[in-house]
Amino acid sequence: MKSIEIFTKSDTETKKLGGILAREIMKSSYAKASEDKIATILSLEGDLGAGKTTFTQGFGKVLGIKERIQSPTFVILKIYPITTQGRYSNLIHVDAYRLKSKDFKVFGWGNFIKNKNNIILVEWGNKIKNILPKNSIRVIFKHGKNFSERKIIFENSKRGC
Ligand code: ADP
Ligand code: MG
């Protein structure tokens, strides 16, 4: 499995990295838009405070989301409309920390995945990996040696359904 490791030294750098990935995904999705039949899914994994929400903020900014993206811990799921040109019309930010895969069925998870105009970022995606599509992108966040250092690993998921 191909993976990429990147170290960041501040929350600003992690936001930038989120923005870089968003830009790359936008570029590739323009080309493949007609081939992709389902949503684009990112599984954000790692401990509390590791940077999952921070990364999502930088990611959303590049997609033109003006509203401040906050931790979805208390709302479970939040939908941000995307108005910039391109394939995606919604960024869906999910927190799976307190949930189990079966809980996702009640709010129509299947329909969110089926819509290829959705880009879905799932914090704690590892907790519901059996209901994430096989080609989801894993982004794994690890605390570094220093307070503001993080190791961020990108992997193409081969697991899921
Ligand atoms: P999570 O969503 O994984 O629980 P958050 O993104 O909410 O984590 O919180 C990360 C916290 O760590 C923030 O307070 C942020 O300012 C701080 N931080 C310090 N250094 C970094 C870094 N390199 N990358 C991301 N966040 C960092
Ligand atoms: Mg968070």
Side-chain angles (χ1 to χ4, degrees):
M1 187 183 300
K2 222 166 92 176
S3 73
I4 301 169
E5 281 183 10
I6 292 171
F7 289 86
T8 65
K9 289 194 165 53
S10 66
D11 51 357
T12 309
E13 280 189 15
T14 296
K15 280 182 198 164
K16 274 191 189 149
L17 192 59
I20 290 169
L21 183 64
R23 234 173 253 120
E24 286 303 313
I25 288 176
M26 290 294 276
K27 270 197 260 166
S28 63
S29 69
Y30 283 129
K32 299 193 301 184
S34 55
E35 287 172 31
D36 263 355
K37 290 192 175 59
I38 60 163
T40 300
I41 311 219
L42 276 74
S43 171
L44 310 182
E45 309 176 10
D47 293 341
L48 199 69
K52 302 180 292 298
T53 300
T54 304
F55 182 89
T56 306
Q57 288 166 346
F59 191 96
K61 198 173 171 193
V62 160
L63 295 182
I65 294 165
K66 300 272 185 299
E67 195 182 336
R68 186 179 157 72
I69 295 179
Q70 285 175 325
S71 170
T73 304
F74 299 106
V75 292
I76 297 174
L77 178 146
K78 182 141 188 200
I79 301 174
Y80 299 87
I82 297 171
T83 51
T84 46
Q85 239 203 332
R87 169 184 151 192
Y88 299 111
S89 38
N90 292 301
L91 183 155
I92 303 178
H93 191 195
V94 187
D95 194 319
Y97 184 64
R98 289 190 179 79
L99 301 176
K100 294 199 165 62
S101 300
K102 65 176 167 48
D103 301 326
F104 275 71
K105 297 207 171 99
V106 299
F107 59 76
W109 177 244
N111 291 330
F112 285 123
I113 290 188
K114 270 186 225 151
N115 186 344
K116 69 178 199 171
N117 302 119
N118 288 336
I119 185 150
I120 308 176
L121 283 79
V122 190
E123 296 199 23
W124 301 97
N126 46 311
K127 298 208 169 204
I128 56 155
K129 54 188 169 210
N130 59 323
I131 59 162
L132 296 183
K134 269 203 185 71
N135 61 350
S136 306
I137 301 163
R138 291 179 77 195
V139 188
I140 304 154
F141 297 81
K142 297 189 173 171
H143 286 271
K145 286 192 199 85
N146 303 319
F147 175 75
S148 59
E149 187 181 275
R150 302 288 187 276
K151 180 161 131 182
I152 302 172
I153 305 156
F154 297 91
E155 262 181 32
N156 225 12
S157 175
K158 289 277 179 288
R159 63 193 189 188
C161 46

